Amino acid sequence: MYSDANRWEQLILSHMSNLRILDIQYDNIIIDNHNGNQVISNTPIDNFTSSFWIKRRIIPLKQLTKLVVESNPLPLTKLIELLRCTPHIHTLVLKSMSLYGVNYNSIQQNQSFQLVSSTNTITHVTYEGKCTLEKLQILIALFSQIEHLTIDLHDKDFKSCIRFLLEKTNRNTNNLCSLCLLSVKNIWRTGLKTLIESETLLDDYMLKINNKHLYL
């Protein structure tokens, strides 16, 4: 029943008229006749693309390409679980993230973290909460394909975060081509150029200020 799109259509029409996102994980259990072992394989569900689903804008999580998480704060471990279910996301917007129970070193030993970091194709990341250096390091390690980053840096870590993002030895930022810093204070509007040039962080760049945001 779980992979039968027609039966899901009837169930939704009868009892879940407001449904917008459907997430189904279907395991197909096959008995190996040679030794009696059970083999579990994840079977893709590709028949949820009829006009019924399209007209109602109901889509499986695996078809999402943009994810906006307004939970405040979202535990990092929950974010990783969510990203495992949404492998085609290319744009991620986070309101805030909690590191409760984990740190930069420990999370990199986590198998789910390793899997998501090596398979996700997220290129656009927006982090709206105050971001410390440790959170930034985790985000960059998790999204190594990142091209566009919008972030609100914590005052105490502003300088170290800029160094981390722009240092030439950071392979995870090789694809980073644009950076938007939210709500930048006046002291850093003038000091960022000095920091970049004094430490030769960039050879060719352009700074632009729009309202309180700084674009690099």
Side-chain angles (χ1 to χ4, degrees), residues 101-189:
V102 298
N103 57 47
Y104 176 67
N105 292 321
S106 66
I107 195 62
Q108 292 193 83
Q109 308 306 316
N110 181 283
Q111 290 186 350
S112 293
F113 181 92
Q114 294 173 0
L115 175 64
V116 171
S117 64
S118 63
T119 58
N120 82 83
T121 57
I122 295 175
T123 57
H124 292 63
V125 176
T126 297
Y127 186 83
E128 298 176 347
K130 286 294 183 181
C131 189
T132 62
L133 176 60
E134 184 174 33
K135 287 183 179 180
L136 179 62
Q137 289 173 327
I138 290 174
L139 289 174
I140 295 301
L142 188 57
F143 308 119
S144 59
Q145 303 300 315
I146 190 169
E147 297 176 3
H148 307 278
L149 175 63
T150 299
I151 198 163
D152 189 0
L153 295 177
H154 200 289
D155 290 343
K156 70 180 181 65
D157 288 340
F158 190 94
K159 199 171 184 178
S160 55
C161 285
I162 294 298
R163 282 199 188 98
F164 170 74
L165 286 172
L166 302 184
E167 62 185 0
K168 295 180 175 63
T169 57
N170 190 346
R171 290 183 295 178
N172 288 335
T173 57
N174 283 345
N175 296 317
L176 185 64
C177 56
S178 73
L179 176 64
C180 174
L181 304 176
L182 302 175
S183 304
V184 176
K185 292 185 176 180
N186 289 333
I187 185 174
W188 285 116
R189 294 186 192 184

Side-chain angles (χ1 to χ4, degrees), residues 165-166 168 196-197 199-206 216:
L165 286 172
L166 302 184
K168 295 180 175 63
I196 292 174
E197 294 182 354
E199 301 189 13
T200 321
L201 296 175
L202 291 173
D203 299 320
D204 185 18
Y205 69 96
M206 180 177 65
L216 177 61

